[in-house]
Amino acid sequence: MEHGPDFVIEQPIDRYTAEDQAVWHALCARQAKLLPGRACAEFLAGLQGLSVVGEGIPDFARLNRTLRAATGWELVAVPGLVPDAVFFEHLAHRRFPTAWWIRKHEQIDYLQEPDVFHDLYGHVPLLMNPVFADYLQAYGQGGMKAGRLGEITHLARLYWYTVEFGLIRDASAPGGLKIYGSGILSSQAESIYCLDSASPNRVAFDLLRVMRTKYRIDTFQKTYFVVDDFAQLFDATRPDFRPYYESLHGMAELGSGDLDAGDTVITRGNREGWADSADV
Ligand code: HBI
Ligand code: FE
């Protein structure tokens, strides 16, 4: 697939097969049953606003008319994972890199690389929320600076534990928590596990704590970080990160399942079923 230095391609809208459309529909239908009561209200409102469910794999150009009007964001089709520097540059300009292809039926429960269901269904609805939309652009700007400072690892952890696997407090939920992380919202099994399982830790969000914490890309999270609201995320990423990077160099890294003396622990996991393999 030909692409320029920014990895952007035309969405090959006429290359979707009947199987692709059936997989998209099955994934949407599964999450539509599961997410009410689990996903944060802002995600469900965004999904509603985009009106992507009910039809097949959406035409990005059509969605962009709605998304641009809401928060100035737009989707750009890409072949798949793009290099960090390219990814951050797009986010800094309110462009969300969205894989154009969808997983095969046999991968319906899990795939490593983001496909259009993860990127579009998982990430895009929250871009309809002004505060989250501002956070993600600020994150992209921070990422471009981090790249120049050699601090991508710390910033990738922040993305991982918030944008991809974040939980948010919600008094209306039985356990007081709801989901906003896209990696969870696009996964049936993890949408259940992250709230219902006694196995993982759930710890109050703290910026430095998150940036110290390694993560695994191949199983459910051992630790979920919980924000009070999106304003907390946006406020945390407003300052210049250089002093944070300085203090991080003096702090020990933490494993994905570790707890730390300074943690505000919401639930301490019983660690059941944890495979002991390498964190990144
Ligand atoms: N590329 N297409 C795509 N989607 C992502 O979510 C993505 C990426 N490249 C890098 C990346 N995410 C993460 O490493 C961020 O932490 C930068
Ligand atoms: Fe993602």
Side-chain angles (χ1 to χ4, degrees):
M1 187 126 328
E2 280 311 300
H3 61 75
D6 66 0
F7 282 72
V8 175
I9 57 170
E10 271 299 302
Q11 181 190 11
I13 189 93
D14 47 14
R15 281 185 55 184
Y16 296 121
T17 64
E19 183 198 352
D20 290 340
Q21 299 294 359
V23 168
W24 170 268
H25 182 74
L27 287 165
C28 288
R30 232 168 45 168
Q31 292 308 89
K33 268 207 281 299
L34 181 63
L35 291 182
R38 288 178 182 274
C40 65
E42 295 82 350
F43 174 83
L44 296 173
L47 198 58
Q48 188 74 34
L50 285 171
S51 59
V52 294
V53 184
E55 59 162 76
I57 297 171
D59 172 353
F60 294 4
R62 181 185 70 74
L63 281 195
N64 282 337
R65 285 196 285 279
T66 306
L67 190 55
R68 270 196 213 100
T71 57
W73 274 84
E74 60 176 323
L75 302 181
V76 287
V78 293
L81 273 177
V82 304
D84 287 346
V86 173
F87 186 67
F88 290 132
E89 159 96 16
H90 280 305
L91 297 189
H93 294 89
R94 296 202 176 220
R95 294 187 299 263
F96 193 81
T98 305
W100 71 273
W101 52 272
I102 194 162
R103 66 194 75 180
K104 292 298 165 227
H105 196 78
E106 54 276 13
Q107 300 168 296
I108 198 151
D109 287 324
Y110 182 73
L111 84 165
Q112 191 100 37
E113 190 178 349
D115 68 344
V116 67
F117 184 73
H118 168 83
D119 278 341
L120 202 159
Y121 186 96
H123 282 283
V124 176
L126 271 178
L127 294 178
M128 295 280 279
N129 174 274
V131 178
F132 192 86
D134 288 351
Y135 165 68
L136 206 60
Q137 179 178 28
Y139 176 87
Q141 289 160 343
M144 291 174 73
K145 280 187 221 144
R148 290 193 288 274
L149 297 168
E151 293 288 352
I152 293 279
T153 305
H154 287 130
L155 221 89
R157 291 172 181 167
L158 175 59
Y159 186 84
W160 188 265
Y161 283 116
T162 59
V163 178
E164 293 295 3
F165 291 98
L167 301 180
I168 189 166
R169 288 190 193 279
D170 182 323
S172 75
L177 302 176
K178 290 252 179 100
I179 304 165
Y180 74 92
S182 306
I184 307 175
L185 291 166
S186 54
S187 157
Q188 179 188 47
E190 194 149 7
S191 296
I192 295 166
Y193 172 85
C194 74
L195 296 181
D196 299 2
S197 170
S199 172
N201 302 317
R202 296 174 185 86
V203 173
F205 172 85
D206 170 276
L207 185 66
L208 287 179
R209 169 60 160 96
V210 163
M211 293 205 279
R212 291 173 60 198
T213 309
K214 294 186 280 187
Y215 58 87
R216 311 232 338 264
I217 61 170
D218 56 354
T219 60
F220 296 154
Q221 300 313 303
K222 291 182 174 174
T223 302
Y224 293 98
F225 290 95
V226 180
V227 293
D228 296 331
D229 51 34
F230 292 141
Q232 182 189 10
L233 265 187
F234 185 57
D235 293 344
T237 50
R238 214 200 293 272
D240 173 15
F241 273 25
R242 266 174 299 204
Y244 296 144
Y245 295 140
E246 283 310 306
S247 41
L248 280 165
H249 296 149
M251 296 172 161
E253 291 194 323
L254 294 166
S256 56
D258 293 348
L259 285 176
D260 187 55
D263 286 345
T264 301
V265 179
I266 296 166
T267 54
R268 179 185 301 272
N270 65 19
R271 312 170 76 86
E272 231 159 67
W274 283 7
D276 282 328
S277 67
D279 286 346
V280 294

